[in-house]
Amino acid sequence: MSEDQPRDPRTGKWVEQVSDEGKTILRHKVTDEEYNAEGSFEFPVRARSYDQHVSFWLNVPIPDESVRRFLAVYRYDFDTSYEPSDWAKEEIKKWDKEHPITPKNFPGGKAVGEAARKTELDRLVKINPIRPYDIPATDARMILRLGMMHYWADPLPREDQEKINNLEVAIGDGNKWSGIANVDKKYHLTRTIMRFYGKFGPVPGVVYGWTGDKWE
């Protein structure tokens, strides 16, 4: 079987052809293992089935540098995204009542008062965040796998994408999560993976390489 022979991109199967002698060349079904072996973390294979896609992302080697990049963009997204919890919202309302931005309270002007409010909001967000400030190093690689599994699932039928969202995977001490959707909610994975690929602009100090669209 020649590697030059075309394959059906949807199934990975060899396409039936007729030789110059008029003989039909038999198709060869490429197994998921063979298909996945052609991809890497940076250049993943296209999802063609639920089992193939899950197997690829649970087993593909992930370089340490990619994990470091993931952790860096996650922390940057946390630091630059104001997402106060309900508690923090109530606390900042109390601060506003106690520290109205007036010339008496802030002789330096409105900008000084707004800067003080921002500093207080930052403090409250870090005290009671709606998501963890850091991703544990012991869980980072698996969480990155799950994020990529979700991000690259678009070619699959909707029902398979739902199965991926509900996939249970042991993380850390072995406790099971109820599904990737819960991990996504806890760590805001969808947005973090988009930042991983530079979708919202570059993160200072992060080397991107291939972003999924272009080299940067």
Side-chain angles (χ1 to χ4, degrees):
M1 187 65 61
S2 170
E3 279 293 329
D4 294 331
Q5 185 176 345
R7 302 182 191 182
D8 184 330
R10 297 166 299 176
T11 64
K13 296 179 180 179
W14 298 111
V15 178
E16 241 179 37
Q17 286 187 312
V18 178
S19 68
D20 292 339
E21 294 78 22
K23 297 179 181 179
T24 300
I25 300 174
L26 296 178
R27 295 183 300 181
H28 168 66
K29 180 179 179 181
V30 178
T31 66
D32 285 349
E33 184 177 2
E34 293 171 320
Y35 184 76
N36 286 345
E38 296 182 0
S40 65
F41 174 77
E42 193 146 335
F43 298 97
V45 292
R46 181 180 176 84
R48 71 176 188 178
S49 73
Y50 169 82
D51 289 337
Q52 169 271 317
H53 186 64
V54 169
S55 177
F56 177 80
W57 284 111
L58 288 183
N59 293 287
V60 66
I62 301 180
D64 286 352
E65 185 54 43
S66 294
V67 179
R68 293 190 190 97
R69 173 173 147 200
F70 174 61
L71 294 176
V73 298
Y74 176 84
R75 172 69 71 83
Y76 179 83
D77 187 70
F78 185 102
D79 287 340
T80 57
S81 301
Y82 288 96
E83 301 168 295
S85 63
D86 291 340
W87 173 84
K89 290 176 182 177
E90 291 303 314
E91 290 299 308
I92 200 64
K93 287 180 182 178
K94 295 177 184 178
W95 188 95
D96 288 338
K97 290 180 180 179
E98 296 170 1
H99 306 85
I101 300 177
T102 63
K104 180 180 178 180
N105 290 330
F106 299 98
K110 182 179 179 181
V112 174
E114 290 177 344
R117 186 183 190 279
K118 181 178 180 300
T119 298
E120 177 63 10
L121 183 57
D122 286 348
R123 186 183 73 83
L124 294 172
V125 167
K126 289 182 179 180
I127 289 175
N128 187 251
I130 63 173
R131 57 172 163 154
Y133 184 55
D134 284 308
I135 293 177
T138 52
D139 296 341
R141 199 179 303 270
M142 178 57 77
I143 292 173
L144 178 54
R145 288 184 187 282
L146 301 183
M148 290 299 183
M149 190 187 298
H150 180 270
Y151 184 82
W152 290 105
D154 280 353
L156 298 177
R158 186 61 195 169
E159 56 268 27
D160 285 344
Q161 294 183 41
E162 287 299 320
K163 286 171 64 177
I164 287 172
N165 285 339
N166 295 319
L167 178 69
E168 291 188 349
V169 179
I171 295 178
D173 61 3
N175 291 327
K176 283 193 173 181
W177 302 58
S178 59
I180 290 180
N182 280 359
V183 183
D184 178 75
K185 181 178 179 181
K186 181 173 182 177
Y187 292 106
H188 293 205
L189 265 186
T190 298
R191 191 169 67 200
T192 302
I193 296 301
M194 291 179 74
R195 280 202 184 278
F196 184 89
Y197 285 120
K199 300 299 182 182
F200 302 124
V203 173
V206 171
V207 177
Y208 284 89
W210 180 251
T211 65
D213 295 319
K214 58 185 181 299
W215 287 100
E216 291 188 352

